[in-house]
Amino acid sequence: MRPSELAAATPESRDRYADLLRAGSLGTVVLGHWLMAAVSQDAAGHVRVGNLLALQPRLQVLTWFLQVMPVFFYVGGFVHARSCRSARRRGPGSYPVFLRARLRRLLRPTAVFTAVWGAVALAVQLAGADGGLIDIALRLVAQPLWFVGIYLAMAALTPPLLRLHERWGWGAFAALVAAAAAVDVLRFGLRVPGVEFLNFALVWLAVHQLGFLRADGMIRRPALLAGAGLTGAVLLVAYGPYPLSMVGMPGEKISNMAPPTLALLCHGLWLVGAVELLRGPLTRLLRRPRVWRAVVTAGGVSMTAFLWHLTAMLGVYGALLAAGVRIPDPGSAGWWLQVPLRIAAAAALTALLVALFRTFEKPSGVRESGAPRAWAGPAAALGATLSLLGVLALSMVGFGGLLEGRTALLMAVHVTAPAALAMTFTGWLLVDRAGRDRNRTG
């Protein structure tokens, strides 16, 4: 079904604002990545990729507006709550059905992306053509996969966390916030080693839990939420050990992103409050057919565009270097003059890649099983775990070193790129099979 037909068939009960936030947040992240990339070439011809925000620290305040990944996770909580409850109504054994339904449109395009780049990396290394920008690309294009891993964890943990929400409401959210704050106290105050990695779960799950609250209409004072979050973030950055940037900076000792901090959680709170304040006027705007068609079109390809946008950006820079076009020093007047052209070219190349790979993001049309097999629940949980670990490891090790055995440290275990790819594909196969109707294929 075409986007225009989907838009026309939208039921009145659908929360259109959630669709706008989902597509808009990913689009903002893509634009931020295109703006931050600072590719340069020295006199010897060596290519370097840096971060504009590290070169011009005064611009780091922009991350308080461009770092909108918390909004996507917030919407994820809202959607997961509704989907989980819908699966529950089908009766016992709903977990694999819910997980497959939530992960299919995420893992299918991710699996294709990793397969294509894995094949490219293998071909490059067998041909001995690595070096320069291609080495950088093999490392960088995999980095956004961390987001896929975190989202997988959120989906997999939705059923138990939703039950906690249904019993405790705001109390469950407050417990996650308190735990994240305690981790930072142990990390910065008592210097306890290794404890900071707990906040990869606690911070993002707290934002995700806000989506449950929204699903039940419990966020009634968004201005208070936004004000508290913004005040907390400002105070923590001004008087605490937290950096100004809400994204990671190369070479920094402390990052608000990796692992996430209490400052990033406060940043997420103010963003959630802000988007809820805009909910009324933007929802009315979405009633216009032309606007809603645009949102439906963007939402149908947003994950594919997100996965391939760095590929497009590096492709544009590669074409410029191959054509002998001089790239001005990042942050210079000439560099800024080139920005609109580079972004337009990256957007055009992303659109081409989306046209090639968008079919893998479409709903499958396969009926989910109402009575999964006895092994389906454990298989779905194992599959989600393997996929989570696989994509996280791949985001760290990249596609380079497929033949050299290059590794990344993941939860105290050294993982290679081939092992990461194997975990990702095996995990998806388990999730897919566990939730599939036993009487049909697809």
Side-chain angles (χ1 to χ4, degrees), residues 256-267:
N256 280 321
M257 273 290 294
T261 65
L262 184 60
L264 182 67
L265 177 53
C266 288
H267 170 69

Side-chain angles (χ1 to χ4, degrees), residues 39-41 45 47 133 314-327:
V39 177
S40 59
Q41 191 172 27
V47 179
L133 189 60
L314 292 169
V316 169
Y317 276 110
L320 291 175
L321 293 171
V325 177
R326 180 183 175 275
I327 299 176

Side-chain angles (χ1 to χ4, degrees), residues 184-226:
D184 273 14
V185 170
L186 293 173
R187 175 187 180 186
F188 297 117
L190 302 179
R191 306 292 181 182
V192 177
V195 70
E196 65 269 19
F197 294 103
L198 292 173
N199 270 351
F200 274 113
L202 295 171
V203 167
W204 291 124
L205 287 176
V207 175
H208 188 250
Q209 203 82 4
L210 282 171
F212 298 167
L213 293 163
R214 182 184 187 273
D216 289 341
M218 298 175 68
I219 301 180
R220 301 186 182 95
R221 297 182 178 178
L224 180 61
L225 187 65

Side-chain angles (χ1 to χ4, degrees), residues 34 316 339-349:
W34 285 344
V316 169
V339 163
L341 295 176
R342 290 198 301 267
I343 288 181
L349 186 51

Side-chain angles (χ1 to χ4, degrees), residues 70-403:
V71 175
F72 187 91
F73 290 145
Y74 165 63
V75 175
F78 169 78
V79 174
H80 289 161
R82 288 193 164 188
S83 179
C84 186
R85 286 167 173 167
S86 176
R88 280 181 189 170
R89 290 191 286 270
R90 303 185 187 188
S94 62
Y95 181 72
V97 177
F98 159 76
L99 204 58
R100 183 176 190 264
R102 296 317 313 157
L103 298 189
R104 186 172 182 86
R105 286 188 63 188
L106 180 71
L107 280 179
R108 284 185 75 205
T110 300
V112 172
F113 172 80
T114 55
V116 170
W117 265 107
V120 169
L122 189 61
V124 166
Q125 291 175 45
L126 289 175
D130 54 343
L133 189 60
I134 187 63
D135 269 356
I136 295 172
L138 291 175
R139 173 174 51 86
L140 284 184
V141 295
Q143 287 185 358
L145 291 177
W146 73 266
F147 147 77
V148 177
I150 297 297
Y151 199 79
L152 282 170
M154 290 177 174
L157 293 172
T158 288
L161 289 175
L162 184 58
R163 285 193 290 270
L164 289 176
H165 158 76
E166 290 167 344
R167 180 172 182 180
W168 301 106
W170 278 98
F173 166 75
L176 287 169
V177 174
V183 166
D184 273 14
V185 170
L186 293 173
R187 175 187 180 186
F188 297 117
L190 302 179
R191 306 292 181 182
V192 177
V195 70
E196 65 269 19
F197 294 103
L198 292 173
N199 270 351
F200 274 113
L202 295 171
V203 167
W204 291 124
L205 287 176
V207 175
H208 188 250
Q209 203 82 4
L210 282 171
F212 298 167
L213 293 163
R214 182 184 187 273
D216 289 341
M218 298 175 68
I219 301 180
R220 301 186 182 95
R221 297 182 178 178
L224 180 61
L225 187 65
L230 185 58
T231 300
V234 169
L235 291 176
L236 288 171
V237 169
Y239 299 105
Y242 305 96
L244 173 64
S245 175
M246 291 299 164
V247 300
M249 291 290 105
E252 65 183 356
K253 293 182 180 180
I254 298 174
S255 167
N256 280 321
M257 273 290 294
T261 65
L262 184 60
L264 182 67
L265 177 53
C266 288
H267 170 69
L269 297 185
W270 103 258
L271 285 178
V272 168
V275 298
E276 283 303 309
L277 286 171
L278 295 172
R279 182 178 180 180
L282 289 180
T283 298
R284 289 190 292 272
L285 181 65
L286 290 170
R287 293 293 174 186
R288 299 180 181 180
R290 184 174 299 178
V291 175
W292 178 234
R293 281 197 301 271
V295 172
V296 170
T297 301
V301 299
S302 57
M303 183 56 58
T304 304
F306 175 79
L307 289 168
W308 290 99
H309 77 280
L310 287 183
T311 301
M313 180 201 73
L314 292 169
V316 169
Y317 276 110
L320 291 175
L321 293 171
V325 177
R326 180 183 175 275
I327 299 176
D329 293 335
S332 66
W335 187 89
W336 282 108
L337 286 173
Q338 279 191 359
V339 163
L341 295 176
R342 290 198 301 267
I343 288 181
L349 186 51
T350 299
L352 176 60
L353 291 167
V354 165
L356 289 173
F357 297 110
R358 64 180 298 176
T359 185
F360 299 102
E361 193 174 347
K362 293 179 180 178
S364 65
V366 177
R367 180 165 58 91
E368 310 295 349
S369 173
R373 303 165 180 83
W375 52 263
L382 175 60
T385 302
L386 287 174
S387 295
L388 159 67
L389 295 176
V391 294
L392 285 179
L394 201 56
S395 73
M396 298 167 66
V397 73
F399 292 100
L402 284 176
L403 302 180

